[in-house]
Amino acid sequence: MGMLKLAQVMRKMGMLSPLGLFRLIAAICRYGINVMALLRITERTYGEAVAIADDSETITYRQLLVQSEELSISLRENYGIRPGSKAALLCRNHASLVKSVFASSWAGADLYLLNAEMSQDQLQDLITAYDFDLLIYDEELTTFIKQSTYNKGKLLSYHDVRPAVNNQKTDGISNARPSWHRTSSGTIMLLTGGTTGKSKKVPHRPSLFHYLNPFYTLLERLHLVRYHTGYIATPIYHGYGIAILLLFVALGKKIVLTSGFDASKACALVREHQVQVATVVPLMLDKMLKHNAEDMRSLACIASGGAELNPKLVAEVYARLGDVLCNLYGTSESGLNIVATPEDLRQSAHTLGRKIDGMPLFVLDEDMNEAKPGVVGQFCVQNYLSRAERSKRWIETGDMGYRDSDGLYYLCGRADDRIVSAGENVYPIELEHILIHHPQVEDVAVIGIPDETFGQRLKACIQPTPHSEVNAEQLMVWLRVRAARYQMPKEIVLVEEIPYTHLGKRDKKKLL
């Protein structure tokens, strides 16, 4: 089955021809099994096509390959990076970050993608825990790094004079073939845990067969082969961002990047580059629509992930841009698991979509047995790959939800968001889905609070639409005929703005 899916993917990418097979074999012979081999195959096909367009430069796939090679040689010769070394990237989205990913992989280093929005204490914890051998970082973070105890190799992402990724040159290396060039890729470490809490590392060693099913599903359901230009609005240091980056590179797309998200700039980039496919979190999409939906007319596919879509946003996209919205669900630990096509979201604006064929995702009850359709349980992935936790049969995502009889999956929220009110399991997301349909509700977040009588009750925090005069009492009256008894909140409070994390998730801790 794995070989059949491999053949299907290679056929879609035009790699089953004699020339395509030759390029695949030649790339592996030159670089070994790592993502630099992927870049080499793409360069052989799309060499003079634009690979990256960011705030500082526009480079072709040939330039990306040569500059990544030069950087990889420099990392080894000047910074001692070898297989087993730990290279950390503390960067926002730009071409130097992309070059560093390929260069570090070719050198065989374990690559740590650090959250550029992290706190000082979290950076120090990571330095103490992992003892990085090299830190590649953006210049504006210099003071931030100096305030830590880090004292090993450092390299700026961009600089005109000081050593930086953009000025690492070694004459003639693109034709050199020293024996160390053929390496196996190091592990890509994704660090979860937000911006202030303790991070947990999630290792991903690039594995051809592990990624075949998600890769094929994205090609099939999102029709990515059709499009020439993609905009990655989500941070590449996040699992969602790095996965889409490598997918776009494999397909030879023009990849548009910018450092940080601003709705006005994002809309301008989509219009300027005539972007056809964009990866966003729902909060980004909402802000772009509010700023200028006309700038987004070139988009044929909007892939939303990283946080749940609300049905009001789904309806607005369809009304203003047509059937272009898709939803991606996955976790840092288990990767991409569920995809919703525009047709799925037309069927139900609440759905996560349908499971990727071959992915060992199950909805399990509290006894770790598979739940029947319509019964809420935890999304769990059968553990075939984790070497660090071989004794664990299941990877528990912490997300609660269910599958309906038609094969569509639905999210009910995080396990730690669930409350028990008078013995009844209550999920805040259910009340959020009801309240967001009120015409004077702009945004909503629901949390659990203690209650002397019921143990716990819900509290709804409402961000009204601009110039709205709605009050909490009116919202309570509106809710009584729409919500079940156990879903009715103990209180409703109006807030100026619902807080979000930099990754577009509601920051409910700030509402407690």
Side-chain angles (χ1 to χ4, degrees):
M1 185 67 180
M3 294 304 296
L4 176 61
K5 191 59 63 69
L6 174 61
Q8 291 172 325
V9 169
M10 291 176 67
R11 176 180 56 79
K12 281 191 169 291
M13 296 177 61
M15 292 173 58
L16 280 184
S17 66
L19 180 59
L21 290 171
F22 172 77
R23 287 172 175 169
L24 173 63
I25 295 169
I28 292 174
C29 288
R30 179 177 174 91
Y31 299 101
I33 306 295
N34 56 69
V35 295
M36 188 71 96
L38 172 69
L39 178 57
R40 173 70 171 191
I41 295 167
T42 303
E43 182 269 340
R44 293 288 85 182
T45 307
Y46 304 97
E48 297 307 319
V50 172
I52 307 289
D54 71 2
D55 299 327
S56 303
E57 57 185 323
T58 297
I59 59 174
T60 66
Y61 273 100
R62 186 150 296 135
Q63 291 170 322
L64 178 59
L65 176 69
V66 171
Q67 292 172 26
S68 297
E69 283 183 336
E70 292 174 337
L71 177 60
S72 189
I73 297 289
S74 177
L75 294 185
R76 180 174 173 83
E77 294 183 348
N78 299 327
Y79 297 90
I81 299 303
R82 289 170 173 75
S85 297
K86 299 175 183 178
L89 306 184
L90 188 60
C91 304
R92 294 181 172 86
N93 288 10
H94 47 58
S96 282
L97 170 60
V98 177
K99 297 170 194 174
S100 299
V101 168
F102 287 110
S104 301
S105 175
W106 190 25
D110 288 340
L111 185 62
Y112 289 72
L113 298 173
L114 307 188
N115 186 332
E117 306 292 337
M118 71 174 65
S119 69
Q120 187 73 56
D121 287 344
Q122 190 176 39
L123 174 63
Q124 185 57 56
D125 287 342
L126 293 173
I127 291 168
T128 302
Y130 302 119
D131 191 24
F132 305 124
D133 299 297
L134 174 67
L135 180 60
I136 299 174
Y137 63 101
D138 293 340
E139 185 179 14
E140 60 265 30
L141 298 174
T142 299
T143 301
F144 180 66
I145 293 168
K146 283 182 177 179
Q147 292 172 347
S148 73
T149 61
Y150 183 76
N151 59 5
K152 290 190 175 182
K154 298 178 186 176
L155 182 64
L156 287 163
S157 57
Y158 286 99
H159 203 275
D160 293 334
V161 180
R162 294 171 58 193
V165 169
N166 66 297
N167 59 34
Q168 298 295 296
K169 302 290 184 183
T170 306
D171 292 338
I173 65 160
S174 61
N175 295 318
R177 297 191 181 210
S179 60
W180 69 269
H181 271 195
R182 290 184 293 277
T183 60
S184 295
S185 178
T187 300
I188 297 177
M189 297 288 187
L190 303 177
L191 299 172
T192 67
T195 59
T196 57
K198 289 280 186 181
S199 292
K200 177 179 68 174
K201 69 176 181 179
V202 181
H204 286 264
R205 182 174 294 277
S207 167
L208 182 62
F209 289 101
H210 178 46
Y211 295 112
L212 275 179
N213 286 318
F215 190 56
Y216 182 76
T217 298
L218 290 175
L219 294 180
E220 278 286 289
R221 299 190 196 174
L222 274 60
H223 309 296
L224 294 180
V225 174
R226 300 177 184 174
Y227 313 129
H228 55 72
T229 303
Y231 168 42
I232 302 178
T234 50
I236 290 174
Y237 56 72
H238 191 254
Y240 178 32
I242 186 68
I244 294 297
L245 169 69
L246 297 177
L247 175 60
F248 282 0
V249 168
L251 295 171
K253 305 299 179 192
K254 175 183 176 181
I255 303 168
V256 179
L257 301 174
T258 188
S259 182
F261 176 81
D262 173 79
S264 174
K265 188 173 184 179
C267 287
L269 286 171
V270 171
R271 183 185 66 249
E272 176 189 349
H273 294 278
Q274 285 299 285
V275 172
Q276 294 171 297
V277 55
T279 64
V280 296
V281 298
L283 182 62
M284 293 174 176
L285 178 57
D286 183 57
K287 289 182 176 181
M288 291 174 70
L289 283 171
K290 285 182 170 62
H291 177 75
N292 192 341
E294 287 301 312
D295 283 349
M296 305 169 70
R297 288 293 178 189
S298 63
L299 290 171
C301 175
I302 301 173
S304 176
E308 67 268 16
L309 280 168
N310 76 61
K312 183 180 283 189
L313 179 58
V314 173
E316 186 175 2
V317 171
Y318 283 132
R320 305 185 73 175
L321 300 176
D323 288 2
V324 299
L325 184 60
C326 301
N327 186 65
L328 308 182
Y329 168 83
T331 68
S332 296
E333 293 85 355
S334 62
L336 181 65
N337 304 123
I338 300 171
V339 174
T341 64
E343 294 74 24
D344 294 328
L345 291 170
R346 280 285 190 192
Q347 184 173 338
S348 172
H350 297 277
T351 187
L352 295 174
R354 301 180 189 277
K355 186 176 74 169
I356 293 173
D357 291 341
M359 294 300 292
L361 174 73
F362 298 88
V363 181
L364 303 183
D365 61 23
E366 292 181 355
D367 297 322
M368 303 304 282
N369 296 316
E370 188 170 4
K372 295 179 180 179
V375 176
V376 175
Q378 183 174 184
F379 293 162
C380 296
V381 179
Q382 203 156 8
N383 184 14
Y384 294 134
L385 300 169
S386 175
R387 286 181 288 181
E389 299 180 285
R390 286 182 185 272
S391 61
K392 292 184 65 175
R393 181 184 175 190
W394 297 102
I395 299 172
E396 299 180 26
T397 68
D399 287 333
M400 306 297 293
Y402 64 93
R403 172 179 58 88
D404 70 12
S405 57
D406 194 38
L408 291 173
Y409 285 75
Y410 297 83
L411 183 69
C412 292
R414 297 288 297 170
D416 50 9
D417 285 342
R418 175 181 58 185
I419 69 167
V420 179
S421 183
E424 190 93 41
N425 287 333
V426 183
Y427 298 93
I429 194 173
E430 295 174 345
L431 181 57
E432 291 171 352
H433 283 171
I434 297 171
L435 282 166
I436 198 64
H437 284 290
H438 191 285
Q440 295 185 67
V441 171
E442 179 77 10
D443 202 356
V444 56
V446 176
I447 58 176
I449 57 174
D451 181 84
E452 291 183 3
T453 303
F454 296 96
Q456 288 178 295
R457 293 279 302 278
L458 295 177
K459 172 183 174 181
C461 301
I462 302 293
Q463 176 185 331
T465 56
H467 314 299
S468 169
E469 296 182 358
V470 71
N471 59 44
E473 184 179 350
Q474 291 169 336
L475 288 168
M476 279 287 197
V477 172
W478 182 87
L479 261 182
R480 285 194 182 101
V481 296
R482 293 170 173 85
R485 177 196 55 78
Y486 61 85
Q487 293 173 326
M488 286 297 296
K490 181 176 183 178
E491 61 178 309
I492 292 177
V493 296
L494 303 185
V495 298
E496 185 175 332
E497 188 174 40
I498 299 295
Y500 281 81
T501 70
H502 70 286
L503 290 176
K505 296 179 184 289
R506 292 183 183 88
D507 194 348
K508 294 186 177 183
K509 291 180 181 179
K510 291 184 177 179
L511 298 172
L512 294 174

mmCIF file of all heavy atoms in Angstrom, residues 231 233 261-271 275 278-296 299 302 313 316 320-321:
data_model
loop_
_atom_site.group_PDB
_atom_site.id
_atom_site.type_symbol
_atom_site.label_atom_id
_atom_site.label_comp_id
_atom_site.label_asym_id
_atom_site.label_seq_id
_atom_site.Cartn_x
_atom_site.Cartn_y
_atom_site.Cartn_z
ATOM 1 N N TYR A 231 1.118 31.728 -0.353
ATOM 2 C CA TYR A 231 1.495 32.661 0.709
ATOM 3 C C TYR A 231 1.391 31.932 2.038
ATOM 4 O O TYR A 231 0.321 31.450 2.414
ATOM 5 C CB TYR A 231 0.574 33.880 0.676
ATOM 6 C CG TYR A 231 0.645 34.804 1.873
ATOM 7 C CD1 TYR A 231 1.867 35.150 2.457
ATOM 8 C CD2 TYR A 231 -0.512 35.349 2.418
ATOM 9 C CE1 TYR A 231 1.924 35.999 3.550
ATOM 10 C CE2 TYR A 231 -0.481 36.210 3.499
ATOM 11 C CZ TYR A 231 0.748 36.530 4.066
ATOM 12 O OH TYR A 231 0.795 37.378 5.157
ATOM 13 N N ALA A 233 1.243 32.540 5.639
ATOM 14 C CA ALA A 233 1.059 33.584 6.646
ATOM 15 C C ALA A 233 1.368 33.062 8.046
ATOM 16 O O ALA A 233 1.710 33.836 8.943
ATOM 17 C CB ALA A 233 -0.367 34.121 6.586
ATOM 18 N N PHE A 261 2.669 39.200 10.910
ATOM 19 C CA PHE A 261 1.398 39.315 10.186
ATOM 20 C C PHE A 261 0.762 40.670 10.413
ATOM 21 O O PHE A 261 0.643 41.148 11.538
ATOM 22 C CB PHE A 261 0.419 38.226 10.615
ATOM 23 C CG PHE A 261 -0.936 38.356 9.959
ATOM 24 C CD1 PHE A 261 -1.127 37.891 8.664
ATOM 25 C CD2 PHE A 261 -1.989 38.965 10.618
ATOM 26 C CE1 PHE A 261 -2.367 38.032 8.039
ATOM 27 C CE2 PHE A 261 -3.224 39.107 10.004
ATOM 28 C CZ PHE A 261 -3.412 38.635 8.708
ATOM 29 N N ASP A 262 0.363 41.294 9.330
ATOM 30 C CA ASP A 262 -0.425 42.514 9.351
ATOM 31 C C ASP A 262 -1.461 42.380 8.241
ATOM 32 O O ASP A 262 -1.116 42.084 7.089
ATOM 33 C CB ASP A 262 0.471 43.734 9.105
ATOM 34 C CG ASP A 262 -0.333 45.014 8.957
ATOM 35 O OD1 ASP A 262 -0.749 45.566 9.989
ATOM 36 O OD2 ASP A 262 -0.548 45.436 7.804
ATOM 37 N N ALA A 263 -2.729 42.576 8.560
ATOM 38 C CA ALA A 263 -3.791 42.318 7.594
ATOM 39 C C ALA A 263 -3.654 43.172 6.348
ATOM 40 O O ALA A 263 -3.852 42.693 5.220
ATOM 41 C CB ALA A 263 -5.152 42.560 8.248
ATOM 42 N N SER A 264 -3.287 44.438 6.513
ATOM 43 C CA SER A 264 -3.129 45.323 5.366
ATOM 44 C C SER A 264 -2.016 44.842 4.448
ATOM 45 O O SER A 264 -2.179 44.777 3.219
ATOM 46 C CB SER A 264 -2.834 46.747 5.858
ATOM 47 O OG SER A 264 -2.540 47.596 4.769
ATOM 48 N N LYS A 265 -0.891 44.476 5.031
ATOM 49 C CA LYS A 265 0.239 43.991 4.237
ATOM 50 C C LYS A 265 -0.080 42.649 3.595
ATOM 51 O O LYS A 265 0.286 42.400 2.437
ATOM 52 C CB LYS A 265 1.482 43.870 5.118
ATOM 53 C CG LYS A 265 2.744 43.560 4.347
ATOM 54 C CD LYS A 265 3.960 43.629 5.256
ATOM 55 C CE LYS A 265 5.247 43.422 4.475
ATOM 56 N NZ LYS A 265 6.433 43.505 5.348
ATOM 57 N N ALA A 266 -0.754 41.781 4.341
ATOM 58 C CA ALA A 266 -1.106 40.464 3.805
ATOM 59 C C ALA A 266 -2.009 40.605 2.581
ATOM 60 O O ALA A 266 -1.801 39.938 1.554
ATOM 61 C CB ALA A 266 -1.794 39.629 4.878
ATOM 62 N N CYS A 267 -3.013 41.466 2.661
ATOM 63 C CA CYS A 267 -3.910 41.677 1.519
ATOM 64 C C CYS A 267 -3.144 42.249 0.326
ATOM 65 O O CYS A 267 -3.368 41.846 -0.826
ATOM 66 C CB CYS A 267 -5.043 42.609 1.914
ATOM 67 S SG CYS A 267 -6.278 41.858 3.006
ATOM 68 N N ALA A 268 -2.227 43.172 0.590
ATOM 69 C CA ALA A 268 -1.440 43.771 -0.489
ATOM 70 C C ALA A 268 -0.557 42.726 -1.167
ATOM 71 O O ALA A 268 -0.398 42.732 -2.396
ATOM 72 C CB ALA A 268 -0.590 44.914 0.062
ATOM 73 N N LEU A 269 0.021 41.815 -0.385
ATOM 74 C CA LEU A 269 0.870 40.761 -0.951
ATOM 75 C C LEU A 269 0.058 39.817 -1.828
ATOM 76 O O LEU A 269 0.514 39.403 -2.899
ATOM 77 C CB LEU A 269 1.554 39.976 0.166
ATOM 78 C CG LEU A 269 2.697 40.670 0.900
ATOM 79 C CD1 LEU A 269 3.123 39.853 2.113
ATOM 80 C CD2 LEU A 269 3.876 40.890 -0.037
ATOM 81 N N VAL A 270 -1.134 39.452 -1.359
ATOM 82 C CA VAL A 270 -1.990 38.571 -2.156
ATOM 83 C C VAL A 270 -2.325 39.230 -3.487
ATOM 84 O O VAL A 270 -2.262 38.590 -4.551
ATOM 85 C CB VAL A 270 -3.280 38.219 -1.378
ATOM 86 C CG1 VAL A 270 -4.275 37.500 -2.279
ATOM 87 C CG2 VAL A 270 -2.942 37.354 -0.169
ATOM 88 N N ARG A 271 -2.643 40.512 -3.448
ATOM 89 C CA ARG A 271 -2.975 41.233 -4.683
ATOM 90 C C ARG A 271 -1.744 41.383 -5.581
ATOM 91 O O ARG A 271 -1.807 41.117 -6.793
ATOM 92 C CB ARG A 271 -3.536 42.612 -4.351
ATOM 93 C CG ARG A 271 -3.980 43.409 -5.579
ATOM 94 C CD ARG A 271 -4.415 44.826 -5.225
ATOM 95 N NE ARG A 271 -3.302 45.619 -4.721
ATOM 96 C CZ ARG A 271 -3.178 46.033 -3.470
ATOM 97 N NH1 ARG A 271 -4.112 45.727 -2.571
ATOM 98 N NH2 ARG A 271 -2.150 46.754 -3.083
ATOM 99 N N VAL A 275 -1.611 35.733 -5.499
ATOM 100 C CA VAL A 275 -1.516 34.482 -4.746
ATOM 101 C C VAL A 275 -2.774 33.656 -4.972
ATOM 102 O O VAL A 275 -3.895 34.166 -4.927
ATOM 103 C CB VAL A 275 -1.331 34.773 -3.240
ATOM 104 C CG1 VAL A 275 -1.420 33.484 -2.430
ATOM 105 C CG2 VAL A 275 0.002 35.466 -2.997
ATOM 106 N N ALA A 278 -3.290 30.227 0.089
ATOM 107 C CA ALA A 278 -2.746 30.860 1.290
ATOM 108 C C ALA A 278 -3.012 29.976 2.491
ATOM 109 O O ALA A 278 -4.077 29.357 2.601
ATOM 110 C CB ALA A 278 -3.357 32.240 1.503
ATOM 111 N N THR A 279 -2.040 29.913 3.391
ATOM 112 C CA THR A 279 -2.209 29.183 4.645
ATOM 113 C C THR A 279 -2.316 30.198 5.780
ATOM 114 O O THR A 279 -1.452 31.063 5.925
ATOM 115 C CB THR A 279 -1.042 28.215 4.895
ATOM 116 O OG1 THR A 279 0.176 28.950 5.051
ATOM 117 C CG2 THR A 279 -0.888 27.255 3.739
ATOM 118 N N VAL A 280 -3.370 30.076 6.558
ATOM 119 C CA VAL A 280 -3.685 31.063 7.586
ATOM 120 C C VAL A 280 -4.222 30.359 8.823
ATOM 121 O O VAL A 280 -4.564 29.181 8.783
ATOM 122 C CB VAL A 280 -4.750 32.067 7.089
ATOM 123 C CG1 VAL A 280 -4.238 32.888 5.925
ATOM 124 C CG2 VAL A 280 -6.042 31.335 6.702
ATOM 125 N N VAL A 281 -4.295 31.100 9.921
ATOM 126 C CA VAL A 281 -5.134 30.692 11.048
ATOM 127 C C VAL A 281 -6.418 31.517 10.942
ATOM 128 O O VAL A 281 -6.432 32.570 10.287
ATOM 129 C CB VAL A 281 -4.435 30.914 12.406
ATOM 130 C CG1 VAL A 281 -3.178 30.060 12.496
ATOM 131 C CG2 VAL A 281 -4.098 32.384 12.637
ATOM 132 N N PRO A 282 -7.516 31.072 11.540
ATOM 133 C CA PRO A 282 -8.790 31.786 11.374
ATOM 134 C C PRO A 282 -8.738 33.264 11.714
ATOM 135 O O PRO A 282 -9.375 34.082 11.040
ATOM 136 C CB PRO A 282 -9.725 31.019 12.314
ATOM 137 C CG PRO A 282 -9.171 29.629 12.339
ATOM 138 C CD PRO A 282 -7.681 29.809 12.295
ATOM 139 N N LEU A 283 -7.976 33.641 12.756
ATOM 140 C CA LEU A 283 -7.902 35.050 13.144
ATOM 141 C C LEU A 283 -7.307 35.894 12.018
ATOM 142 O O LEU A 283 -7.770 37.013 11.752
ATOM 143 C CB LEU A 283 -7.076 35.198 14.422
ATOM 144 C CG LEU A 283 -6.949 36.609 14.988
ATOM 145 C CD1 LEU A 283 -8.315 37.149 15.385
ATOM 146 C CD2 LEU A 283 -6.005 36.628 16.193
ATOM 147 N N MET A 284 -6.275 35.375 11.341
ATOM 148 C CA MET A 284 -5.679 36.089 10.205
ATOM 149 C C MET A 284 -6.708 36.271 9.095
ATOM 150 O O MET A 284 -6.832 37.360 8.517
ATOM 151 C CB MET A 284 -4.480 35.306 9.665
ATOM 152 C CG MET A 284 -3.291 35.219 10.583
ATOM 153 S SD MET A 284 -2.025 34.121 9.872
ATOM 154 C CE MET A 284 -0.713 34.303 11.091
ATOM 155 N N LEU A 285 -7.414 35.201 8.783
ATOM 156 C CA LEU A 285 -8.404 35.243 7.720
ATOM 157 C C LEU A 285 -9.489 36.265 8.026
ATOM 158 O O LEU A 285 -9.900 37.048 7.148
ATOM 159 C CB LEU A 285 -9.007 33.846 7.538
ATOM 160 C CG LEU A 285 -10.117 33.692 6.499
ATOM 161 C CD1 LEU A 285 -9.657 34.148 5.129
ATOM 162 C CD2 LEU A 285 -10.589 32.238 6.460
ATOM 163 N N ASP A 286 -9.951 36.286 9.255
ATOM 164 C CA ASP A 286 -10.988 37.232 9.663
ATOM 165 C C ASP A 286 -10.502 38.670 9.494
ATOM 166 O O ASP A 286 -11.228 39.527 8.972
ATOM 167 C CB ASP A 286 -11.373 36.959 11.119
ATOM 168 C CG ASP A 286 -12.500 37.848 11.602
ATOM 169 O OD1 ASP A 286 -13.574 37.843 10.975
ATOM 170 O OD2 ASP A 286 -12.303 38.569 12.600
ATOM 171 N N LYS A 287 -9.268 38.945 9.892
ATOM 172 C CA LYS A 287 -8.726 40.304 9.789
ATOM 173 C C LYS A 287 -8.537 40.711 8.328
ATOM 174 O O LYS A 287 -8.776 41.873 7.960
ATOM 175 C CB LYS A 287 -7.397 40.396 10.541
ATOM 176 C CG LYS A 287 -7.548 40.340 12.054
ATOM 177 C CD LYS A 287 -6.207 40.486 12.760
ATOM 178 C CE LYS A 287 -6.384 40.524 14.269
ATOM 179 N NZ LYS A 287 -5.090 40.693 14.985
ATOM 180 N N MET A 288 -8.120 39.776 7.481
ATOM 181 C CA MET A 288 -7.932 40.084 6.061
ATOM 182 C C MET A 288 -9.270 40.397 5.390
ATOM 183 O O MET A 288 -9.382 41.337 4.599
ATOM 184 C CB MET A 288 -7.227 38.928 5.354
ATOM 185 C CG MET A 288 -5.774 38.760 5.770
ATOM 186 S SD MET A 288 -4.999 37.281 5.057
ATOM 187 C CE MET A 288 -4.876 37.744 3.317
ATOM 188 N N LEU A 289 -10.287 39.620 5.719
ATOM 189 C CA LEU A 289 -11.613 39.875 5.151
ATOM 190 C C LEU A 289 -12.143 41.241 5.572
ATOM 191 O O LEU A 289 -12.750 41.963 4.771
ATOM 192 C CB LEU A 289 -12.591 38.787 5.585
ATOM 193 C CG LEU A 289 -12.492 37.439 4.867
ATOM 194 C CD1 LEU A 289 -13.376 36.416 5.558
ATOM 195 C CD2 LEU A 289 -12.895 37.573 3.401
ATOM 196 N N LYS A 290 -11.930 41.581 6.815
ATOM 197 C CA LYS A 290 -12.406 42.871 7.319
ATOM 198 C C LYS A 290 -11.637 44.028 6.680
ATOM 199 O O LYS A 290 -12.187 45.109 6.463
ATOM 200 C CB LYS A 290 -12.280 42.930 8.841
ATOM 201 C CG LYS A 290 -13.332 42.125 9.590
ATOM 202 C CD LYS A 290 -13.160 42.275 11.082
ATOM 203 C CE LYS A 290 -14.342 41.668 11.854
ATOM 204 N NZ LYS A 290 -14.498 40.237 11.642
ATOM 205 N N HIS A 291 -10.348 43.799 6.382
ATOM 206 C CA HIS A 291 -9.545 44.876 5.807
ATOM 207 C C HIS A 291 -9.907 45.132 4.350
ATOM 208 O O HIS A 291 -10.234 46.266 3.965
ATOM 209 C CB HIS A 291 -8.054 44.555 5.922
ATOM 210 C CG HIS A 291 -7.188 45.599 5.279
ATOM 211 N ND1 HIS A 291 -6.970 46.826 5.858
ATOM 212 C CD2 HIS A 291 -6.530 45.618 4.076
ATOM 213 C CE1 HIS A 291 -6.204 47.562 5.062
ATOM 214 N NE2 HIS A 291 -5.929 46.848 3.972
ATOM 215 N N ASN A 292 -9.840 44.093 3.510
ATOM 216 C CA ASN A 292 -10.146 44.286 2.092
ATOM 217 C C ASN A 292 -10.311 42.942 1.402
ATOM 218 O O ASN A 292 -9.356 42.350 0.919
ATOM 219 C CB ASN A 292 -9.044 45.087 1.402
ATOM 220 C CG ASN A 292 -9.454 45.565 0.019
ATOM 221 O OD1 ASN A 292 -10.396 45.045 -0.581
ATOM 222 N ND2 ASN A 292 -8.756 46.566 -0.500
ATOM 223 N N ALA A 293 -11.534 42.479 1.316
ATOM 224 C CA ALA A 293 -11.798 41.193 0.681
ATOM 225 C C ALA A 293 -11.517 41.237 -0.813
ATOM 226 O O ALA A 293 -11.181 40.211 -1.419
ATOM 227 C CB ALA A 293 -13.241 40.768 0.933
ATOM 228 N N GLU A 294 -11.617 42.414 -1.433
ATOM 229 C CA GLU A 294 -11.372 42.522 -2.872
ATOM 230 C C GLU A 294 -9.933 42.157 -3.223
ATOM 231 O O GLU A 294 -9.668 41.630 -4.297
ATOM 232 C CB GLU A 294 -11.687 43.938 -3.357
ATOM 233 C CG GLU A 294 -13.175 44.252 -3.416
ATOM 234 C CD GLU A 294 -13.915 43.301 -4.342
ATOM 235 O OE1 GLU A 294 -13.451 43.090 -5.480
ATOM 236 O OE2 GLU A 294 -14.960 42.762 -3.920
ATOM 237 N N ASP A 295 -8.996 42.444 -2.326
ATOM 238 C CA ASP A 295 -7.592 42.090 -2.564
ATOM 239 C C ASP A 295 -7.377 40.585 -2.602
ATOM 240 O O ASP A 295 -6.343 40.112 -3.067
ATOM 241 C CB ASP A 295 -6.695 42.678 -1.467
ATOM 242 C CG ASP A 295 -6.448 44.165 -1.651
ATOM 243 O OD1 ASP A 295 -6.792 44.692 -2.729
ATOM 244 O OD2 ASP A 295 -5.913 44.797 -0.724
ATOM 245 N N MET A 296 -8.341 39.822 -2.115
ATOM 246 C CA MET A 296 -8.184 38.371 -1.969
ATOM 247 C C MET A 296 -8.835 37.594 -3.106
ATOM 248 O O MET A 296 -8.924 36.375 -3.060
ATOM 249 C CB MET A 296 -8.787 37.938 -0.624
ATOM 250 C CG MET A 296 -8.213 38.671 0.580
ATOM 251 S SD MET A 296 -9.130 38.386 2.118
ATOM 252 C CE MET A 296 -8.723 36.664 2.442
ATOM 253 N N LEU A 299 -7.404 34.309 -4.736
ATOM 254 C CA LEU A 299 -7.275 33.087 -3.946
ATOM 255 C C LEU A 299 -8.265 32.018 -4.412
ATOM 256 O O LEU A 299 -9.471 32.230 -4.418
ATOM 257 C CB LEU A 299 -7.489 33.384 -2.464
ATOM 258 C CG LEU A 299 -6.376 34.191 -1.785
ATOM 259 C CD1 LEU A 299 -6.795 34.612 -0.383
ATOM 260 C CD2 LEU A 299 -5.084 33.376 -1.729
ATOM 261 N N ILE A 302 -7.911 28.636 0.330
ATOM 262 C CA ILE A 302 -7.476 29.166 1.625
ATOM 263 C C ILE A 302 -7.456 27.990 2.595
ATOM 264 O O ILE A 302 -8.503 27.417 2.901
ATOM 265 C CB ILE A 302 -8.418 30.260 2.140
ATOM 266 C CG1 ILE A 302 -8.487 31.425 1.141
ATOM 267 C CG2 ILE A 302 -7.956 30.755 3.513
ATOM 268 C CD1 ILE A 302 -9.526 32.473 1.505
ATOM 269 N N LEU A 313 -17.485 32.809 10.356
ATOM 270 C CA LEU A 313 -16.370 33.096 9.456
ATOM 271 C C LEU A 313 -16.470 32.250 8.193
ATOM 272 O O LEU A 313 -16.204 32.730 7.086
ATOM 273 C CB LEU A 313 -15.041 32.839 10.165
ATOM 274 C CG LEU A 313 -13.767 33.071 9.345
ATOM 275 C CD1 LEU A 313 -13.706 34.505 8.821
ATOM 276 C CD2 LEU A 313 -12.533 32.755 10.185
ATOM 277 N N GLU A 316 -18.995 33.814 5.953
ATOM 278 C CA GLU A 316 -18.521 35.073 5.363
ATOM 279 C C GLU A 316 -17.566 34.815 4.205
ATOM 280 O O GLU A 316 -17.616 35.494 3.181
ATOM 281 C CB GLU A 316 -17.837 35.928 6.433
ATOM 282 C CG GLU A 316 -17.451 37.302 5.919
ATOM 283 C CD GLU A 316 -16.885 38.202 7.007
ATOM 284 O OE1 GLU A 316 -16.751 37.733 8.158
ATOM 285 O OE2 GLU A 316 -16.576 39.362 6.693
ATOM 286 N N ARG A 320 -18.272 36.053 0.316
ATOM 287 C CA ARG A 320 -17.441 37.099 -0.288
ATOM 288 C C ARG A 320 -16.419 36.562 -1.282
ATOM 289 O O ARG A 320 -16.008 37.288 -2.191
ATOM 290 C CB ARG A 320 -16.745 37.888 0.814
ATOM 291 C CG ARG A 320 -17.716 38.455 1.834
ATOM 292 C CD ARG A 320 -17.058 39.343 2.854
ATOM 293 N NE ARG A 320 -16.682 40.623 2.289
ATOM 294 C CZ ARG A 320 -16.165 41.621 3.001
ATOM 295 N NH1 ARG A 320 -15.978 41.470 4.306
ATOM 296 N NH2 ARG A 320 -15.830 42.757 2.427
ATOM 297 N N LEU A 321 -15.980 35.281 -1.113
ATOM 298 C CA LEU A 321 -14.924 34.750 -1.969
ATOM 299 C C LEU A 321 -15.309 33.470 -2.698
ATOM 300 O O LEU A 321 -14.563 33.002 -3.571
ATOM 301 C CB LEU A 321 -13.651 34.495 -1.152
ATOM 302 C CG LEU A 321 -13.030 35.708 -0.449
ATOM 303 C CD1 LEU A 321 -11.830 35.290 0.388
ATOM 304 C CD2 LEU A 321 -12.627 36.779 -1.461
#
